[in-house]
Amino acid sequence: MTTQPGVYGYSAVLMGSPILLKLFDSNPSLARQVFQLIKQQENLFTVNRADSAVMAINQAAGQRAVVVSEPVFELIRVAHAVSLLPDSAFNLTIGPVVKRWKIGFQGRTVPPAEEISALLRLTDPHQVVLDADARSVMLRQPGMEIDLGAIAKGYIADVVQAFLRQQGVTQALINLGGNVQTLGAPPHEPAGWQIGLKTPFASDDALLGVLQVKEKSVVTSGIYERYFLQDERCWHHIFDPRTGYPLDNELLSVTVIADRSLDGDIYTTLLYGMGVARGLAYVASRADLDVIFVTRDRQIVCSAPRHFRFQQQDFSWRLRY
Ligand code: FAD
Ligand code: MG
Ligand code: MG
Protein backbone atom coordinates (compact mmCIF):
# COMPACT_ATOMS: atom_id res chain seq x y z
CA MET A 1 0.00 0.00 0.00
CA THR A 2 1.55 3.31 -1.11
CA THR A 3 0.54 6.52 0.62
CA GLN A 4 2.75 9.11 -1.14
CA PRO A 5 4.90 8.84 -4.27
CA GLY A 6 8.02 6.87 -3.39
CA VAL A 7 6.74 5.96 0.07
CA TYR A 8 5.69 2.40 0.76
CA GLY A 9 3.50 1.99 3.83
CA TYR A 10 2.76 -1.46 5.24
CA SER A 11 0.24 -1.93 8.02
CA ALA A 12 -0.91 -4.65 10.40
CA VAL A 13 -2.69 -4.98 13.72
CA LEU A 14 -0.52 -6.52 16.40
CA MET A 15 -0.43 -6.12 20.20
CA GLY A 16 -3.97 -4.73 19.98
CA SER A 17 -2.51 -1.74 18.12
CA PRO A 18 -2.35 -0.47 14.52
CA ILE A 19 1.23 -0.94 13.28
CA LEU A 20 2.68 1.05 10.37
CA LEU A 21 6.00 0.51 8.62
CA LYS A 22 7.21 3.12 6.11
CA LEU A 23 9.91 2.20 3.60
CA PHE A 24 11.23 3.92 0.48
CA ASP A 25 11.59 0.82 -1.64
CA SER A 26 8.75 -1.54 -2.39
CA ASN A 27 9.63 -4.53 -0.21
CA PRO A 28 6.63 -6.57 0.93
CA SER A 29 8.87 -9.46 1.94
CA LEU A 30 10.85 -7.25 4.34
CA ALA A 31 7.58 -5.87 5.74
CA ARG A 32 6.38 -9.44 6.33
CA GLN A 33 9.60 -10.22 8.19
CA VAL A 34 9.15 -7.12 10.37
CA PHE A 35 5.57 -8.08 11.28
CA GLN A 36 6.72 -11.65 11.97
CA LEU A 37 9.42 -10.29 14.29
CA ILE A 38 6.89 -8.15 16.16
CA LYS A 39 4.59 -11.17 16.47
CA GLN A 40 7.45 -13.23 17.98
CA GLN A 41 8.16 -10.47 20.49
CA GLU A 42 4.46 -10.14 21.35
CA ASN A 43 4.41 -13.88 22.06
CA LEU A 44 7.12 -13.39 24.69
CA PHE A 45 5.69 -10.36 26.48
CA THR A 46 1.90 -10.44 26.16
CA VAL A 47 -0.32 -10.82 29.22
CA ASN A 48 -3.42 -11.15 27.07
CA ARG A 49 -2.80 -14.83 26.34
CA ALA A 50 -1.85 -17.61 28.74
CA ASP A 51 1.23 -18.93 26.96
CA SER A 52 3.83 -16.12 26.95
CA ALA A 53 7.12 -16.05 28.88
CA VAL A 54 5.74 -13.30 31.13
CA MET A 55 2.57 -15.31 31.82
CA ALA A 56 4.68 -18.33 32.82
CA ILE A 57 6.20 -16.14 35.55
CA ASN A 58 2.77 -14.82 36.59
CA GLN A 59 1.25 -18.31 36.74
CA ALA A 60 4.07 -19.45 39.05
CA ALA A 61 3.62 -16.50 41.45
CA GLY A 62 3.99 -17.57 45.08
CA GLN A 63 5.25 -20.98 44.00
CA ARG A 64 8.53 -21.00 42.13
CA ALA A 65 11.13 -19.14 40.10
CA VAL A 66 10.84 -19.36 36.30
CA VAL A 67 13.88 -19.42 34.01
CA VAL A 68 13.48 -17.09 31.01
CA SER A 69 15.51 -16.22 27.91
CA GLU A 70 18.17 -13.52 28.09
CA PRO A 71 16.12 -10.75 26.34
CA VAL A 72 13.09 -11.41 28.56
CA PHE A 73 15.24 -11.37 31.70
CA GLU A 74 16.94 -8.16 30.57
CA LEU A 75 13.68 -6.28 29.90
CA ILE A 76 12.26 -7.40 33.27
CA ARG A 77 15.51 -6.36 34.97
CA VAL A 78 15.24 -2.86 33.45
CA ALA A 79 11.52 -2.56 34.32
CA HIS A 80 12.28 -3.70 37.88
CA ALA A 81 15.11 -1.17 38.31
CA VAL A 82 12.87 1.66 37.04
CA SER A 83 10.12 0.55 39.43
CA LEU A 84 12.51 0.82 42.40
CA LEU A 85 13.57 4.43 41.65
CA PRO A 86 12.58 6.82 44.45
CA ASP A 87 8.99 8.04 44.02
CA SER A 88 8.65 6.14 40.71
CA ALA A 89 5.30 6.24 38.89
CA PHE A 90 6.39 3.08 37.06
CA ASN A 91 5.58 -0.30 38.58
CA LEU A 92 6.14 -3.53 36.65
CA THR A 93 3.91 -5.44 39.11
CA ILE A 94 0.85 -3.24 38.40
CA GLY A 95 -0.72 -6.28 36.60
CA PRO A 96 -3.49 -7.15 39.13
CA VAL A 97 -4.72 -3.51 39.05
CA VAL A 98 -4.63 -3.37 35.22
CA LYS A 99 -6.48 -6.70 34.91
CA ARG A 100 -9.20 -5.62 37.38
CA TRP A 101 -9.94 -2.27 35.73
CA LYS A 102 -9.90 -3.84 32.20
CA ILE A 103 -9.48 -0.41 30.59
CA GLY A 104 -9.49 -0.85 26.80
CA PHE A 105 -11.11 -4.27 27.14
CA GLN A 106 -14.64 -5.69 27.54
CA GLY A 107 -16.14 -5.37 31.02
CA ARG A 108 -14.28 -2.26 32.20
CA THR A 109 -15.62 -0.85 35.49
CA VAL A 110 -14.59 1.32 38.41
CA PRO A 111 -13.78 -1.32 41.05
CA PRO A 112 -14.89 -0.87 44.69
CA ALA A 113 -12.24 0.96 46.78
CA GLU A 114 -11.70 -2.06 49.09
CA GLU A 115 -10.88 -4.23 46.10
CA ILE A 116 -8.34 -1.70 44.85
CA SER A 117 -6.59 -1.56 48.21
CA ALA A 118 -6.52 -5.36 48.40
CA LEU A 119 -4.98 -5.53 44.90
CA LEU A 120 -2.40 -2.86 45.76
CA ARG A 121 -0.94 -5.29 48.30
CA LEU A 122 0.02 -7.48 45.33
CA THR A 123 1.97 -4.70 43.58
CA ASP A 124 5.17 -4.37 45.61
CA PRO A 125 8.15 -4.50 43.21
CA HIS A 126 10.36 -5.51 46.16
CA GLN A 127 8.54 -8.85 46.03
CA VAL A 128 10.12 -9.64 42.63
CA VAL A 129 13.21 -11.83 42.97
CA LEU A 130 15.65 -11.72 40.05
CA ASP A 131 18.52 -14.20 39.85
CA ALA A 132 20.90 -13.08 37.10
CA ASP A 133 23.02 -16.27 37.26
CA ALA A 134 20.05 -18.59 36.87
CA ARG A 135 18.23 -16.01 34.62
CA SER A 136 15.13 -16.63 36.71
CA VAL A 137 12.27 -14.48 37.95
CA MET A 138 10.10 -15.23 40.97
CA LEU A 139 7.06 -13.34 42.24
CA ARG A 140 6.95 -13.97 45.99
CA GLN A 141 3.20 -13.65 46.60
CA PRO A 142 0.45 -15.66 44.88
CA GLY A 143 -1.69 -13.37 42.70
CA MET A 144 1.18 -11.04 41.74
CA GLU A 145 1.45 -10.25 38.01
CA ILE A 146 4.09 -8.57 35.90
CA ASP A 147 2.68 -6.23 33.19
CA LEU A 148 5.19 -4.80 30.70
CA GLY A 149 2.56 -2.75 28.80
CA ALA A 150 4.36 0.51 29.60
CA ILE A 151 7.75 -0.61 28.28
CA ALA A 152 7.46 -3.56 25.84
CA LYS A 153 6.40 -1.58 22.76
CA GLY A 154 9.42 0.67 23.22
CA TYR A 155 11.73 -2.31 23.49
CA ILE A 156 10.14 -3.94 20.43
CA ALA A 157 10.43 -0.72 18.36
CA ASP A 158 14.20 -0.80 19.05
CA VAL A 159 14.37 -4.49 18.06
CA VAL A 160 12.70 -3.61 14.74
CA GLN A 161 15.08 -0.68 14.20
CA ALA A 162 18.10 -2.95 14.79
CA PHE A 163 16.68 -5.58 12.41
CA LEU A 164 16.09 -3.03 9.62
CA ARG A 165 19.60 -1.64 10.07
CA GLN A 166 21.00 -5.16 9.84
CA GLN A 167 19.08 -5.61 6.57
CA GLY A 168 20.86 -2.56 5.15
CA VAL A 169 17.88 -0.20 5.43
CA THR A 170 18.95 3.41 6.10
CA GLN A 171 15.60 5.26 5.92
CA ALA A 172 12.49 3.86 7.62
CA LEU A 173 9.85 4.55 10.20
CA ILE A 174 8.01 2.09 12.43
CA ASN A 175 4.94 3.14 14.41
CA LEU A 176 3.71 0.64 16.99
CA GLY A 177 0.80 2.84 18.07
CA GLY A 178 2.23 5.53 20.33
CA ASN A 179 5.81 4.34 19.87
CA VAL A 180 7.53 5.69 16.76
CA GLN A 181 11.12 4.73 15.93
CA THR A 182 13.01 6.02 12.90
CA LEU A 183 16.08 5.32 10.79
CA GLY A 184 17.79 8.29 9.12
CA ALA A 185 15.58 10.89 7.45
CA PRO A 186 13.20 10.48 4.49
CA PRO A 187 14.71 11.08 1.03
CA HIS A 188 14.36 14.74 -0.05
CA GLU A 189 13.51 15.72 3.54
CA PRO A 190 16.93 16.15 5.15
CA ALA A 191 15.35 18.03 8.08
CA GLY A 192 13.83 14.78 9.22
CA TRP A 193 10.62 12.86 9.83
CA GLN A 194 7.35 14.65 10.45
CA ILE A 195 5.47 13.12 13.37
CA GLY A 196 2.06 14.45 14.35
CA LEU A 197 1.16 15.29 17.94
CA LYS A 198 -2.53 14.44 18.30
CA THR A 199 -5.12 16.79 19.74
CA PRO A 200 -6.34 15.06 22.91
CA PHE A 201 -9.88 13.65 22.64
CA ALA A 202 -10.30 14.96 19.05
CA SER A 203 -12.77 12.80 17.14
CA ASP A 204 -10.80 13.14 13.89
CA ASP A 205 -7.06 13.09 13.16
CA ALA A 206 -6.64 16.71 14.32
CA LEU A 207 -3.10 17.68 15.34
CA LEU A 208 -1.75 20.16 17.87
CA GLY A 209 1.36 20.32 15.73
CA VAL A 210 4.10 18.38 14.03
CA LEU A 211 7.47 17.27 15.41
CA GLN A 212 10.49 16.95 13.18
CA VAL A 213 13.13 14.39 14.16
CA LYS A 214 16.05 12.52 12.63
CA GLU A 215 17.14 9.06 13.79
CA LYS A 216 15.10 9.48 17.00
CA SER A 217 12.23 7.77 18.69
CA VAL A 218 9.06 9.67 19.59
CA VAL A 219 6.86 8.06 22.25
CA THR A 220 3.55 9.42 23.46
CA SER A 221 1.50 8.28 26.45
CA GLY A 222 -1.88 9.92 26.73
CA ILE A 223 -4.97 9.50 28.82
CA TYR A 224 -7.10 9.81 25.66
CA GLU A 225 -5.99 6.57 23.96
CA ARG A 226 -7.62 4.04 26.29
CA TYR A 227 -10.25 5.29 28.67
CA PHE A 228 -13.91 5.20 29.57
CA LEU A 229 -16.23 7.80 31.03
CA GLN A 230 -18.20 7.12 34.21
CA ASP A 231 -19.52 9.47 36.91
CA GLU A 232 -18.35 12.44 34.78
CA ARG A 233 -14.76 11.31 35.05
CA CYS A 234 -12.26 9.99 32.55
CA TRP A 235 -10.80 6.68 33.77
CA HIS A 236 -7.67 5.97 31.73
CA HIS A 237 -5.00 3.28 31.57
CA ILE A 238 -1.98 4.95 33.20
CA PHE A 239 -2.29 4.02 36.86
CA ASP A 240 -0.83 5.69 39.89
CA PRO A 241 0.91 2.77 41.61
CA ARG A 242 0.44 4.50 44.97
CA THR A 243 -3.37 4.61 44.73
CA GLY A 244 -4.41 1.98 42.18
CA TYR A 245 -6.49 4.67 40.38
CA PRO A 246 -5.68 6.36 37.04
CA LEU A 247 -2.99 9.02 37.54
CA ASP A 248 -4.79 12.26 38.18
CA ASN A 249 -2.76 15.41 37.57
CA GLU A 250 -2.59 18.38 35.18
CA LEU A 251 -1.59 16.22 32.19
CA LEU A 252 -3.34 14.91 29.10
CA SER A 253 -0.24 13.48 27.43
CA VAL A 254 3.52 13.23 27.62
CA THR A 255 5.76 12.82 24.56
CA VAL A 256 9.42 11.87 24.90
CA ILE A 257 12.05 12.23 22.18
CA ALA A 258 15.06 9.94 22.72
CA ASP A 259 17.48 7.72 20.81
CA ARG A 260 15.99 4.53 22.16
CA SER A 261 12.25 3.90 22.12
CA LEU A 262 12.78 1.86 25.30
CA ASP A 263 13.85 5.05 27.08
CA GLY A 264 10.96 6.95 25.51
CA ASP A 265 8.49 4.40 26.88
CA ILE A 266 10.05 4.36 30.36
CA TYR A 267 10.25 8.14 30.63
CA THR A 268 6.75 8.89 29.34
CA THR A 269 5.47 6.96 32.37
CA LEU A 270 8.00 8.42 34.84
CA LEU A 271 7.45 12.00 33.61
CA TYR A 272 3.70 11.48 33.71
CA GLY A 273 4.08 10.87 37.41
CA MET A 274 6.40 13.87 37.90
CA GLY A 275 4.10 16.39 36.21
CA VAL A 276 5.23 19.51 34.33
CA ALA A 277 7.36 21.41 36.86
CA ARG A 278 9.36 18.48 38.24
CA GLY A 279 9.46 16.83 34.83
CA LEU A 280 10.99 19.85 33.06
CA ALA A 281 13.61 20.22 35.78
CA TYR A 282 14.46 16.55 35.46
CA VAL A 283 14.74 16.61 31.66
CA ALA A 284 16.99 19.70 31.82
CA SER A 285 19.51 17.45 33.62
CA ARG A 286 19.33 14.80 30.87
CA ALA A 287 21.09 15.72 27.60
CA ASP A 288 19.64 12.62 25.93
CA LEU A 289 15.93 13.35 26.48
CA ASP A 290 13.43 15.96 25.33
CA VAL A 291 9.80 16.15 26.41
CA ILE A 292 6.49 17.73 25.38
CA PHE A 293 3.75 17.92 28.00
CA VAL A 294 0.15 18.61 26.97
CA THR A 295 -1.94 19.90 29.86
CA ARG A 296 -5.63 20.01 30.78
CA ASP A 297 -5.51 23.82 30.70
CA ARG A 298 -4.65 23.74 26.97
CA GLN A 299 -0.91 24.28 27.09
CA ILE A 300 1.82 22.58 25.10
CA VAL A 301 4.95 22.74 27.25
CA CYS A 302 8.26 21.80 25.58
CA SER A 303 11.69 21.26 27.13
CA ALA A 304 14.51 23.19 25.42
CA PRO A 305 14.34 21.38 22.05
CA ARG A 306 17.69 19.71 21.46
CA HIS A 307 16.54 16.71 19.44
CA PHE A 308 13.41 17.95 17.66
CA ARG A 309 11.64 20.92 16.13
CA PHE A 310 7.97 21.62 16.76
CA GLN A 311 5.61 23.38 14.38
CA GLN A 312 2.37 24.33 16.05
CA GLN A 313 -0.83 23.88 14.00
CA ASP A 314 -3.64 24.48 16.48
CA PHE A 315 -3.17 27.99 17.87
CA SER A 316 -6.06 27.67 20.33
CA TRP A 317 -3.52 25.93 22.58
CA ARG A 318 -0.74 27.96 24.24
CA LEU A 319 2.79 26.85 23.34
CA ARG A 320 5.55 27.53 25.84
CA TYR A 321 9.14 26.42 26.36
P1 FAD B 1 1.96 3.46 28.14
O1 FAD B 1 1.55 4.67 28.86
O2 FAD B 1 3.34 3.29 27.70
O3 FAD B 1 1.60 2.22 29.06
C1 FAD B 1 0.35 2.06 29.68
C2 FAD B 1 0.20 0.59 29.95
O4 FAD B 1 1.18 0.21 30.92
C3 FAD B 1 -1.14 0.23 30.55
O5 FAD B 1 -2.04 -0.17 29.53
C4 FAD B 1 -0.78 -0.89 31.49
O6 FAD B 1 -0.66 -2.10 30.76
C5 FAD B 1 0.59 -0.52 31.98
N1 FAD B 1 0.60 0.41 33.13
C6 FAD B 1 -0.37 1.23 33.59
N2 FAD B 1 0.06 1.95 34.63
C7 FAD B 1 1.35 1.58 34.84
C8 FAD B 1 2.33 1.97 35.79
N3 FAD B 1 2.08 2.88 36.71
N4 FAD B 1 3.54 1.39 35.71
C9 FAD B 1 3.82 0.46 34.78
N5 FAD B 1 2.93 0.05 33.86
C10 FAD B 1 1.71 0.61 33.89
N6 FAD B 1 -4.00 -4.42 23.68
C11 FAD B 1 -5.14 -5.03 23.32
O7 FAD B 1 -6.18 -4.39 23.28
N7 FAD B 1 -5.16 -6.35 22.98
C12 FAD B 1 -4.03 -7.10 23.01
O8 FAD B 1 -4.08 -8.28 22.70
C13 FAD B 1 -2.80 -6.47 23.38
N8 FAD B 1 -1.64 -7.18 23.41
C14 FAD B 1 -0.48 -6.55 23.75
C15 FAD B 1 0.72 -7.28 23.74
C16 FAD B 1 1.91 -6.68 24.06
C17 FAD B 1 3.19 -7.46 24.05
C18 FAD B 1 1.92 -5.28 24.40
C19 FAD B 1 3.22 -4.59 24.74
C20 FAD B 1 0.76 -4.57 24.40
C21 FAD B 1 -0.46 -5.18 24.08
N9 FAD B 1 -1.66 -4.47 24.07
C22 FAD B 1 -2.82 -5.10 23.72
C23 FAD B 1 -1.69 -3.05 24.45
C24 FAD B 1 -1.59 -2.93 25.97
O9 FAD B 1 -2.74 -3.45 26.56
C25 FAD B 1 -1.42 -1.48 26.42
O10 FAD B 1 -2.55 -0.75 26.11
C26 FAD B 1 -0.29 -0.82 25.75
O11 FAD B 1 0.87 -1.55 25.98
C27 FAD B 1 -0.19 0.56 26.28
O12 FAD B 1 0.91 1.18 25.71
P2 FAD B 1 0.96 2.72 25.49
O13 FAD B 1 2.25 2.98 24.85
O14 FAD B 1 -0.29 3.17 24.88
O15 FAD B 1 0.89 3.31 26.99
MG1 MG C 1 4.09 2.91 25.53
MG1 MG D 1 5.38 3.94 28.60
Side-chain angles (χ1 to χ4, degrees):
M1 176 196 75
T2 303
T3 44
Q4 289 159 255
V7 183
Y8 297 86
Y10 299 92
S11 54
V13 175
L14 295 163
M15 306 186 285
S17 313
I19 311 284
L20 174 70
L21 172 68
K22 270 191 193 180
L23 299 173
F24 295 95
D25 289 308
S26 169
N27 198 338
S29 135
L30 182 66
R32 258 196 308 277
Q33 289 178 66
V34 165
F35 295 142
Q36 194 62 39
L37 179 61
I38 296 171
K39 187 80 208 149
Q40 281 166 12
Q41 298 292 319
E42 176 177 4
N43 290 343
L44 297 175
F45 297 115
T46 188
V47 290
N48 298 304
R49 285 201 342 247
D51 56 354
S52 70
V54 170
M55 283 306 287
I57 298 167
N58 292 347
Q59 283 151 0
Q63 298 166 38
R64 62 195 155 75
V66 174
V67 176
V68 292
S69 66
E70 151 74 57
V72 173
F73 186 83
E74 184 52 22
L75 188 59
I76 291 175
R77 193 192 60 71
V78 170
H80 186 238
V82 173
S83 305
L84 295 179
L85 291 172
D87 209 21
S88 177
F90 192 108
N91 184 337
L92 86 161
T93 57
I94 198 78
V97 171
V98 174
K99 284 266 168 79
R100 179 61 185 84
W101 279 85
K102 297 193 181 80
I103 293 174
F105 295 88
Q106 292 275 315
R108 61 212 185 163
T109 44
V110 180
E114 320 79 75
E115 259 187 64
I116 294 177
S117 30
L119 291 173
L120 275 182
R121 289 196 281 278
L122 298 173
T123 63
D124 178 2
H126 294 95
Q127 300 294 312
V128 179
V129 185
L130 298 181
D131 181 337
D133 296 326
R135 254 204 279 104
S136 71
V137 184
M138 159 125 197
L139 305 178
R140 280 212 183 98
Q141 293 168 269
M144 285 181 75
E145 286 185 61
I146 290 178
D147 180 323
L148 299 177
I151 189 172
K153 279 193 203 173
Y155 168 79
I156 295 169
D158 293 338
V159 168
V160 170
Q161 186 199 43
F163 170 76
L164 290 170
R165 199 171 268 144
Q166 199 185 41
Q167 299 298 310
V169 176
T170 53
Q171 296 160 313
L173 177 147
I174 180 84
N175 186 346
L176 301 183
N179 281 73
V180 174
Q181 181 56 289
T182 64
L183 274 167
H188 319 300
E189 286 185 60
W193 297 92
Q194 311 254 359
I195 296 162
L197 181 63
K198 281 191 194 160
T199 304
F201 299 109
S203 51
D204 50 11
D205 291 334
L207 298 179
L208 294 177
V210 174
L211 282 90
Q212 223 170 31
V213 297
K214 250 195 271 187
E215 198 85 18
K216 294 283 170 198
S217 169
V218 178
V219 181
T220 298
S221 274
I223 71 172
Y224 52 85
E225 293 290 355
R226 281 177 187 243
Y227 68 93
F228 67 100
L229 300 169
Q230 189 180 311
D231 308 326
E232 285 164 47
R233 280 197 57 180
C234 167
W235 307 94
H236 62 85
H237 73 145
I238 306 164
F239 292 101
D240 184 338
R242 290 153 290 214
T243 66
Y245 283 83
L247 246 164
D248 188 14
N249 60 14
E250 77 272 39
L251 293 171
L252 295 174
S253 73
V254 177
T255 298
V256 172
I257 302 95
D259 285 335
R260 293 196 310 170
S261 205
L262 175 70
D263 292 325
D265 220 356
I266 291 170
Y267 282 100
T268 47
T269 305
L270 290 178
L271 289 163
Y272 219 106
M274 290 184 208
V276 176
R278 274 208 301 141
L280 281 179
Y282 176 77
V283 168
S285 74
R286 290 280 305 254
D288 56 330
L289 301 178
D290 280 342
V291 64
I292 302 176
F293 294 103
V294 177
T295 67
R296 290 181 197 266
D297 64 353
R298 295 178 76 84
Q299 297 192 51
I300 305 162
V301 188
C302 299
S303 61
R306 293 161 288 195
H307 307 297
F308 73 104
R309 288 208 313 217
F310 184 70
Q311 290 163 326
Q312 190 173 4
Q313 287 187 350
D314 184 342
F315 291 92
S316 69
W317 292 65
R318 181 170 159 240
L319 175 65
R320 66 181 175 91
Y321 287 91

